[in-house]
Amino acid sequence: MDLDPLLLSRIQFAFTVSFHIIFPSFTIGLAAWLAVVEGLWLYTGRRVYYELARFWTKIFAVSFAMGVVSGIVMSYEFGTNWSQFSNIAAPVIGPLLAYEVLTAFFLEASFLGIMLFGWNRVPRGVHFATTCIVAVGTTVSAFWILSANSWMQTPAGFAIENGRFVPTDWFELIFNPSFPYRFMHMVTAAFLSTGLVVGGVGAWYLLRRRNLPHGRIMVAMAVGLLAVLAPAQLIIGDMHGLNTMEHQPRKVAAMEGHWETKTGAPLILFAVPDQEAQTNHFEIGIPNLGSLILTHEWNGEVHGLDQWAPEDQPNVPIVFYSFRVMVGIGLAMIALGLTGAFLGLRRRLFESRWFLTVQALMTPLGFVAVLAGWFVTEVGRQPYIVYGLMRTSEAVSPVPGGSVLATLILFVVVYGIIFGAGMFYMFRLAKKGPEADQGEPAHGTPARPLSAAGDAAAPAE
Amino acid sequence: MEFWLPVIWSVVIAIAVIMYVVLDGFDLGIGILFPFAEHDQDRDIMMNSVAPIWDGNETWLVLGGGGLMAVFPVAYATILPALYLPIIVMLLALVFRGVAFEFRFKAAPRNRWWWNLAFAGGSTLAAFAQGVTLGAFIQGFQIQDNQFVGGPFDWLSAFALLTGFGLVAGYALLGATWLIMKTEGALQDWTYERTVPLMSVVLLFVLAVSAWTPFLENTIHQRWFSWPNIALLSPVPIVTALVLFQLWRAVNLRREIQPFVLSIALFLLCYLGLGISLYPTVVPHTVTVWEAASETSSLIFMLVGVAILLPIILAYTAYTYWVFRGKVQPGEGYH
């Protein structure tokens, strides 16, 4: 059997990065939310906020741990599987990753300890500051890694010398053309995904008539967030799309399913793209709307995939379907947010069981949208690893296919176990809820006398 | 500049690597000692002694790896493919070790053994894989045109296995002396008892690796045994012997902090010896720090960040250690 190290390395990287991205998406949003809730506790003195903070911190810890361990894998996979890329792009990518470690990873990892274990060891204000620092750290981390990713999509501020990418202007390089849009789009996506989880768990509590004060706060805050950010995300996404059309037109052509360059292009709602025949089957579209959205003109010209040879095109079906999944979920979030806001204004939010049921069912959809969005942008960049400049096939390590297959199987098995266990524990924590949790010590271990976990007292000053 | 930048950076990367080895070394050592503890409550304390800080400790591994890519891309792009299997195994072992911190306290009591196994097995395997990596690294790789051209099992050798087991023992010693410092009562007594035989094992490994290394490569032999090097470098083994002797005394005198400090000193001295053997190559025996270095502008851009941020990182790392100072109490934790 002929094992292709390139294909296997791509599958392995796609698998490990898809697994990884779920957790930072959640921790970026959750850390910010925890900072808000803890701040509300300090400001209002209401115990329900303290209980919410303690409760969600536990779920945060599980997610964070999975994000950390799967993230370390990524930082080494650049070398183990993509050594040619590392060697050629290191002068550009290396410093961005180094700055991520120096400005974000250490910050998050060090203060996480105090955030989780320091409730009784530092004053309340210091603990709150710690939570804020962790929240800032997660976002700063996103800043650098998205800058690096964006550079691979829309390279800028560099020259090619002796076969290497060499930085010429750090500002242009870091703030490369797609970075501001990608950063906004991703951070907003993280907030929305977290909002769906927090709101979904809250809705579930209200449906089960448990943890009512906590559930109401969770549902109300999530609805407020979705009502504002979900429509905002539509606008940010549109801007990101226009930016992509300017710099990576073939990605947009694949997203839209446009094979032919034409004016007054339709907006294709559904189709079965056929890469071999370079055409769509069963196409359903709205005339001219594609041009209107992409060019903001009724008869604007839209580039089709016919501008590029088939071997220079990305995999159209993956990009096309993923894009529709992402947009579909985005629209559902807008509907959820606006409906919830409407019900809230009419004071019926907590009683509308059908709404709460929908909200509970939508809990995991943010992560599906995040993954679909990353499929769009990463598969859409192919066949290049650095868009237009370096092909993915030129990037792979000189490692035999058998080795990569072996590690790919290991990754699938290990991540399967970890993911299953992590989900199980998070579910169980959510099921127990903030109220059930406050009274009892952890399994088998007596509560530390100082912590007074069972009493009404909040942590010591 | 062309000369000094790679030299300065090799020092920075070397610091990142030894910070990782010492800091995560004692975390992993706790995991290696984990199965031998007598009660599950002792295991709780052992784990809680490092639970608030392990994540920060492991971050030095990311700085070491990411830094290597950023600073010496040729080294990063040749060493990692050469060590493909042991590196991935180490990463997966660290996955199990890392999540065990969270999952063990969340598992039902009857399922807890599973995460005990994940923690102990992950820690031991990660330490072993790191030791194998070290041994294979010292032996060197088949390189042509800045690319690894050897086979997938080139790293597997008797020497690499020796350093693998040696590092497991060394980390266990770091973990044991950390526990002595962080515990009291019966668990501390237990740890003192285990530390004594552990020191003998570590001594044997230090001797074996030190005796073998010069015969791996002529350049290493020359470095240590040619005149006047042999005189100038003789303090290294002498001080190592003194440290080992004092460690022995400190454990027998039941000192609480000294054993940990001396274990770290032992690691630093072994590391210094390694540096003396290999300098100025970053891919041993083939690629020098100057040949492997990245673009000058990249090195300068990052050095500015390191100069400002590394002291800040060290300061808040010290702060978190200070917050969690003192003996670990039973039942401590947030779970």
Side-chain angles (χ1 to χ4, degrees):
Chain A
M1 193 166 65
D2 195 25
L3 296 170
D4 176 13
L6 172 64
L7 180 66
L8 289 164
S9 286
R10 285 185 63 190
I11 295 171
Q12 178 171 303
F13 200 84
F15 176 71
T16 51
V17 78
S18 297
F19 179 91
H20 173 68
I21 191 70
I22 295 170
F23 301 105
S25 313
F26 190 35
T27 48
I28 287 170
L30 200 52
W33 191 64
L34 283 170
V36 170
V37 176
E38 195 176 341
L40 282 172
W41 169 53
L42 294 182
Y43 184 69
T44 64
R46 285 182 59 198
R47 185 173 165 75
V48 63
Y49 290 118
Y50 169 69
E51 288 171 357
L52 276 174
R54 289 301 291 257
F55 169 68
W56 280 99
T57 300
K58 291 178 190 180
I59 293 178
F60 178 80
V62 175
S63 173
F64 197 93
M66 293 206 279
V68 166
V69 294
S70 59
I72 292 175
V73 169
M74 308 306 312
S75 69
Y76 277 82
E77 266 185 309
F78 292 124
T80 53
N81 292 78
W82 307 103
S83 64
Q84 311 247 47
F85 166 72
S86 300
N87 198 3
I88 290 168
V92 167
I93 298 289
L96 303 181
L97 300 185
Y99 268 100
E100 182 179 20
V101 181
L102 292 167
T103 58
F105 286 167
F106 275 112
L107 202 65
E108 299 172 67
S110 302
F111 285 98
L112 178 78
I114 300 176
M115 183 179 165
L116 299 186
F117 298 93
W119 288 98
N120 303 308
R121 285 183 174 263
V122 294
R124 290 177 183 188
V126 173
H127 192 277
F128 175 58
T130 299
T131 308
C132 293
I133 288 171
V134 172
V136 169
T138 57
T139 311
V140 173
S141 167
F143 175 94
W144 291 109
I145 199 66
L146 291 174
S147 173
N149 176 274
S150 298
W151 186 86
M152 292 163 71
Q153 306 274 1
T154 54
F158 71 102
I160 297 175
E161 281 173 24
N162 306 323
R164 262 195 178 162
F165 296 111
V166 179
T168 53
D169 182 332
W170 283 106
F171 188 84
E172 265 185 47
L173 192 157
I174 294 168
F175 293 92
N176 59 76
S178 66
F179 170 61
Y181 302 98
R182 193 181 315 279
F183 180 66
M184 288 296 292
H185 197 46
M186 181 62 205
V187 173
T188 309
F191 278 38
L192 288 169
S193 302
T194 309
L196 284 183
V197 174
V198 170
V201 173
W204 187 61
Y205 289 153
L206 297 187
L207 287 170
R208 302 282 299 265
R209 302 190 205 290
R210 291 170 40 212
N211 306 302
L212 293 178
H214 310 88
R216 285 193 195 111
I217 292 172
M218 282 150 66
V219 167
M221 284 176 80
V223 162
L225 180 103
L226 288 168
V228 176
L229 282 192
Q233 181 74 319
L234 185 72
I235 296 164
I236 296 167
D238 178 57
M239 289 162 67
H240 191 10
L242 292 178
N243 176 267
T244 307
M245 190 157 99
E246 190 184 334
H247 296 280
Q248 298 177 294
R250 74 187 90 177
K251 185 192 286 183
V252 173
M255 284 155 65
E256 299 293 341
H258 289 148
W259 296 97
E260 292 161 35
T261 304
K262 57 175 144 185
T263 55
L267 177 73
I268 297 171
L269 298 177
F270 180 81
V272 178
D274 183 340
Q275 191 121 21
E276 206 132 290
Q278 300 273 304
T279 187
N280 289 332
H281 305 296
F282 312 110
E283 186 178 301
I284 302 166
I286 302 170
N288 290 69
L289 194 58
S291 283
L292 186 67
I293 289 173
L294 291 170
T295 62
H296 291 195
E297 272 175 47
W298 187 248
N299 266 321
E301 188 186 58
V302 174
H303 280 286
L305 287 154
D306 56 8
Q307 302 271 322
W308 300 278
E311 66 270 20
D312 294 337
Q313 296 171 359
N315 181 314
V316 176
I318 294 179
V319 177
F320 180 84
Y321 290 126
S322 301
F323 180 65
R324 270 147 197 76
V325 169
M326 176 186 77
V327 172
I329 294 173
L331 296 176
M333 287 187 212
I334 294 175
L336 187 78
L338 295 183
T339 313
F342 175 76
L343 291 169
L345 291 175
R346 309 210 34 196
R347 308 259 168 234
R348 289 198 336 239
L349 179 59
F350 305 130
E351 285 75 42
S352 308
R353 294 188 70 82
W354 64 269
F355 176 80
L356 295 174
T357 308
V358 172
Q359 194 177 17
L361 287 174
M362 280 182 68
T363 301
L365 285 190
F367 303 116
V368 178
V370 165
L371 284 174
W374 277 102
F375 286 178
V376 171
T377 200
E378 294 296 275
V379 177
R381 190 191 61 219
Q382 303 300 332
Y384 296 100
I385 189 164
V386 180
Y387 189 77
L389 296 170
M390 182 182 191
R391 283 179 175 262
T392 310
S393 57
E394 299 164 333
V396 72
S397 292
V399 171
S403 295
V404 186
L405 180 66
T407 58
L408 174 60
I409 292 169
L410 280 175
F411 272 116
V412 171
V413 171
V414 171
Y415 280 18
I417 295 170
I418 298 302
F419 189 79
M423 285 297 126
F424 175 75
Y425 293 131
M426 283 199 258
F427 262 107
R428 209 172 52 183
L429 280 170
K431 208 171 145 190
K432 275 169 76 181
E435 274 174 2
D437 183 68
Q438 291 305 310
E440 61 181 26
H443 306 282
T445 47
R448 185 165 173 253
L450 251 179
S451 77
D455 306 337
E461 282 300 323
Chain B
M1 222 46 171
E2 295 282 309
F3 175 82
W4 282 109
L5 265 177
V7 175
I8 294 168
W9 266 110
S10 59
V11 173
V12 174
I13 298 289
I15 290 173
V17 171
I18 192 64
M19 284 297 283
Y20 173 74
V21 168
V22 168
L23 294 178
D24 210 24
F26 72 76
D27 298 348
L28 292 169
I30 300 289
I32 295 163
L33 297 170
F34 214 57
F36 304 101
E38 283 165 347
H39 311 289
D40 221 34
Q41 204 186 0
D42 291 343
R43 278 187 269 272
D44 291 348
I45 295 176
M46 288 166 82
M47 197 178 235
N48 279 335
S49 76
V50 291
I53 45 174
W54 74 272
D55 198 350
N57 294 346
E58 199 175 85
T59 305
W60 292 96
L61 181 66
V62 190
L63 183 62
L68 193 66
M69 173 189 180
V71 177
F72 300 120
V74 173
Y76 181 80
T78 49
I79 295 170
L80 293 194
L83 294 170
Y84 185 83
L85 292 172
I87 295 259
I88 300 275
V89 166
M90 174 194 79
L91 294 169
L92 288 170
L94 288 175
V95 167
F96 274 119
R97 188 283 295 253
V99 297
F101 277 106
E102 280 306 318
F103 292 177
R104 183 175 174 275
F105 287 103
K106 294 189 165 69
R110 70 193 141 79
N111 293 329
R112 206 186 246 194
W113 67 271
W114 216 103
W115 298 113
N116 286 345
L117 180 72
F119 186 63
S123 299
T124 310
L125 187 59
F128 181 71
Q130 286 174 13
V132 167
T133 298
L134 172 71
F137 175 76
I138 297 172
Q139 285 188 309
F141 310 106
Q142 275 189 297
I143 309 265
Q144 263 171 30
D145 302 329
N146 289 340
Q147 283 236 38
F148 173 65
V149 290
F153 292 98
D154 281 9
W155 49 271
L156 188 62
S157 68
F159 181 73
L161 294 178
L162 178 76
T163 51
F165 288 114
L167 198 64
V168 173
Y171 282 171
L173 179 67
L174 277 177
T177 52
W178 166 262
L179 269 188
I180 287 173
M181 192 168 74
K182 296 296 283 185
T183 61
E184 52 202 350
L187 179 58
Q188 194 189 36
D189 293 340
W190 177 86
T191 314
Y192 273 120
E193 281 168 32
R194 296 300 175 284
T195 307
V196 176
L198 201 50
M199 285 188 297
S200 318
V201 176
V202 170
L203 172 68
L204 289 177
F205 276 113
V206 170
L207 287 175
V209 173
S210 304
W212 195 335
T213 305
F215 299 98
L216 288 173
E217 275 288 329
N218 200 31
T219 48
I220 303 178
H221 195 273
Q222 288 284 318
R223 177 72 43 89
W224 287 93
F225 296 113
S226 66
W227 187 263
N229 289 13
I230 191 164
L232 292 172
L233 297 175
S234 60
V236 177
I238 292 171
V239 174
T240 308
L242 289 174
V243 164
L244 270 164
F245 175 71
Q246 183 57 30
L247 175 64
W248 191 275
R249 263 171 45 99
V251 171
N252 283 310
L253 289 170
R254 293 180 66 96
R255 297 270 191 269
E256 293 205 314
I257 297 173
Q258 244 193 62
F260 183 60
V261 175
L262 290 165
S263 300
I264 292 176
L266 181 64
F267 264 84
L268 292 178
L269 284 160
C270 291
Y271 193 64
L272 179 65
L274 181 69
I276 291 169
S277 296
L278 299 182
Y279 187 81
T281 55
V282 60
V283 182
H285 330 304
T286 39
V287 184
T288 67
V289 291
W290 299 283
E291 291 161 344
S294 185
E295 292 301 314
T296 304
S297 67
S298 303
L299 296 183
I300 293 173
F301 178 64
M302 286 185 287
L303 201 57
V304 174
V306 165
I308 298 167
L309 293 164
L310 209 54
I312 298 175
I313 291 168
L314 289 170
Y316 63 65
T317 302
Y319 172 70
T320 55
Y321 274 75
W322 186 77
V323 166
F324 295 100
R325 68 195 176 281
K327 305 283 185 187
V328 188
Q329 302 303 321
E332 193 164 19
Y334 78 105
H335 297 280

